[in-house]
Amino acid sequence: MHELGITRSIVEIAEGHAREQGATRVLSLTVQIGALSGVIPEAVEFAFEACSQGTLLEGARLIIDAVPGRGRCRACGAESAMDRFTYACPHCDALALDTVQGEELRILELEVD
Amino acid sequence: MCIDCGCGPTDHHHHHHEPGHAQDHGHDHGHSHDQGRRTLRIEEDILAKNNRLAGNNRARFGAKGLFVLNLVSSPGSGKTSILERTLRDLAGNIAFAVLEGDQQTDQDAARIAATGVPVHQINTGAGCHLDAHMVGHGVEHFDLDATDILMIENVGNLVCPAAFDLGEDHKVAVLSVTEGEDKPIKYPNMFHAADLLLINKIDLLPYLDFDLEKCKAYARQVKPDIQILEVSCKSGEGMEKWYAWLAQGANRKKT
Ligand SMILES: Nc1nc2c(ncn2[C@@H]2O[C@H](COP(=O)(O)OP(=O)(O)OP(=O)(O)O)[C@@H](O)[C@H]2O)c(=O)[nH]1
Ligand SMILES: [Zn+2]
Ligand SMILES: [Zn+2]
Ligand SMILES: [Zn+2]
Ligand SMILES: [Zn+2]
């Protein structure tokens, strides 16, 4: 359900840009989805076909650029990989990781005709 | 006033999901139709529109010295019950207004109205969360100058509301002890987004296997500096700490 709304926004934003540039259809679009964004790429892929029907994006190829999570420790300053389930620093065990990467939810580019 | 979408206070029910809304702002499209295949670099945040409107809300609330909370939880954890008790107990001390997000019924709004506090219901229909645009129009029903704290009860759902900033000062997550202590690591985004966790229905602890300490540890695992209060709106236990937290937040916004 969440991804349905997100996917609708993706289609709406992309179609707006495509129209503005005088495109008649979108061949592909690249979307960046961070591992900490709470959005599941597979669910967006699943929703995309339904959401793009009847728009300039119908039939377009959806390319998902998955961005891994990274955090920086407020206690020791080290950077490390980070998943959604623990904010503990692997170097010093402090529960003090701030997200530096992985919350992205962004349309990068469109290939249009 | 909705600066971005340009809709006035009265026409706000008509444009939310019209597919043409985003692009019918009067751009001139009579150019460059035959450029062939090309790549458009966009780099646009998918939540940018919501975030922009949330920023507008936040600026407006800030100018009024309003303390704004966004209550999130799974269905039935006790958001409305907490509000009812809070509004009754603090009547005369703090001026509240309540926005009720609900998918179907207006029962929650009716329960709030019975306390005498101004309430407006936002029907989200098929939508499973409130967004900043709905909130921006929802508060048009209140006299914000006469309000200290705006409470927004989000739709009961631990997934989407995490992603949608409404312009609040804090998200407050409510988790009841009947739901199991592992909710924070099952829905980490929501608990990570919250600044305060209310563990509700603690009057039921004697009848359950709920591990309170484990629950708190899980919450801190996904949000190291989350504040946690244990409450029961049935017995009233722990409510004073919540009221103190509210009063402190409201005072901070006033000054
Ligand atoms: N024992 C006990 N029951 C509670 C407590 N708080 C709420 N309840 C009960 O829990 C049920 C759900 O409470 P609500 O306040 O409607 O929950 P809600 O989070 O607003 O629910 P939705 O808006 O549907 O998501 C009701 O039957 C309440 O009486 C509590 O502290 N102790
Ligand atoms: Zn560290
Ligand atoms: Zn509007
Ligand atoms: Zn409720
Ligand atoms: Zn939603």
Side-chain angles (χ1 to χ4, degrees):
Chain A
M1 203 149 188
H2 179 44
E3 277 79 5
L4 195 59
I6 296 288
T7 309
R8 268 198 213 111
S9 301
I10 292 174
V11 170
E12 190 183 313
I13 294 168
E15 194 174 40
H17 281 281
R19 271 189 211 286
E20 211 166 292
Q21 297 300 317
T24 51
R25 70 189 173 121
V26 177
L27 304 170
S28 74
L29 75 162
T30 309
V31 177
Q32 203 170 44
I33 300 181
L36 309 174
S37 69
V39 171
I40 300 161
E42 289 74 19
V44 172
E45 277 168 352
F46 184 76
F48 183 70
E49 198 179 319
C51 292
S52 61
Q53 254 175 42
T55 74
L56 294 186
L57 282 83
E58 189 168 332
R61 195 158 71 94
L62 174 64
I63 303 162
I64 291 180
D65 174 18
V67 185
R70 284 197 74 74
R72 184 182 296 114
C73 178
R74 241 176 289 153
C76 76
E79 273 206 23
S80 57
M82 189 173 161
D83 64 25
R84 295 164 66 215
F85 302 102
T86 176
Y87 290 74
C89 171
H91 303 282
C92 74
D93 286 335
L95 279 174
L97 281 191
D98 290 321
T99 311
V100 294
Q101 175 193 295
E103 288 180 334
E104 296 79 1
L105 209 49
R106 195 182 294 146
I107 302 180
L108 289 185
E109 60 180 38
L110 304 177
E111 199 190 349
V112 300
D113 208 349
Chain B
M1 179 178 40
C2 195
I3 299 154
D4 271 295
C5 75
C7 57
T10 49
D11 59 358
H12 54 275
H13 289 301
H14 302 294
H15 69 286
H16 287 283
H17 297 288
E18 284 169 28
H21 185 56
Q23 55 268 6
D24 62 14
H25 282 272
H27 302 293
D28 180 11
H29 293 142
H31 54 82
S32 61
H33 275 266
D34 213 17
Q35 300 172 353
R37 199 165 162 151
R38 59 206 184 274
T39 298
L40 309 177
R41 198 75 196 161
I42 292 186
E43 309 237 2
E44 180 164 334
D45 199 313
I46 292 156
L47 296 173
K49 186 176 171 192
N50 184 74
N51 291 340
R52 196 164 59 237
L53 294 173
N56 293 350
N57 290 349
R58 188 166 282 118
R60 186 152 43 128
F61 300 155
K64 305 263 182 208
L66 201 65
F67 188 48
V68 183
L69 300 177
N70 177 1
L71 270 67
V72 295
S73 81
S74 21
S77 64
K79 297 179 298 300
T80 311
S81 304
I82 289 172
L83 285 176
E84 284 177 296
R85 180 147 192 158
T86 304
L87 302 177
R88 290 209 164 91
D89 286 352
L90 298 183
N93 297 325
I94 295 178
F96 287 94
V98 179
L99 280 179
E100 275 292 339
D102 228 310
Q103 282 186 288
Q104 301 292 346
T105 70
D106 61 356
Q107 285 185 11
D108 283 359
R111 283 164 62 189
I112 299 301
T115 68
V117 164
V119 57
H120 176 72
Q121 149 114 18
I122 300 173
N123 237 311
T124 59
C128 38
H129 59 266
L130 291 175
D131 65 35
H133 188 217
M134 300 170 184
V135 167
H137 284 301
V139 296
E140 286 163 0
H141 298 263
F142 302 130
D143 176 5
L144 295 183
D145 292 314
T147 308
D148 301 315
I149 299 183
L150 172 67
M151 295 284 204
I152 306 170
E153 180 177 339
N154 218 313
V155 179
N157 166 356
L158 279 175
V159 184
C160 334
F164 289 84
D165 184 7
L166 306 180
E168 72 274 358
D169 290 293
H170 304 286
K171 285 191 177 71
V172 176
V174 180
L175 172 61
S176 62
V177 297
T178 52
E179 297 171 59
E181 59 273 314
D182 56 354
K183 274 271 158 34
I185 50 170
K186 274 193 177 155
Y187 300 93
N189 287 71
M190 182 57 85
F191 292 88
H192 182 65
D195 293 316
L196 175 68
L197 169 61
L198 294 179
I199 301 182
N200 187 32
K201 309 194 191 179
I202 56 167
D203 57 288
L204 297 177
L205 279 175
Y207 314 103
L208 303 165
D209 290 330
F210 188 85
D211 187 335
L212 200 53
E213 290 314 311
K214 203 168 190 179
C215 179
K216 293 192 213 170
Y218 283 147
R220 293 196 174 106
Q221 188 179 316
V222 299
K223 175 78 168 194
D225 50 4
I226 196 166
Q227 293 190 62
I228 303 175
L229 298 175
E230 299 151 33
V231 299
S232 163
C233 21
K234 192 148 205 175
S235 70
E237 199 182 338
M239 295 298 278
E240 305 74 32
K241 283 190 180 150
W242 156 241
Y243 298 156
W245 187 90
L246 283 176
Q248 201 179 37
N251 281 335
R252 218 175 22 244
K253 286 303 286 269
K254 286 273 172 244
T255 50

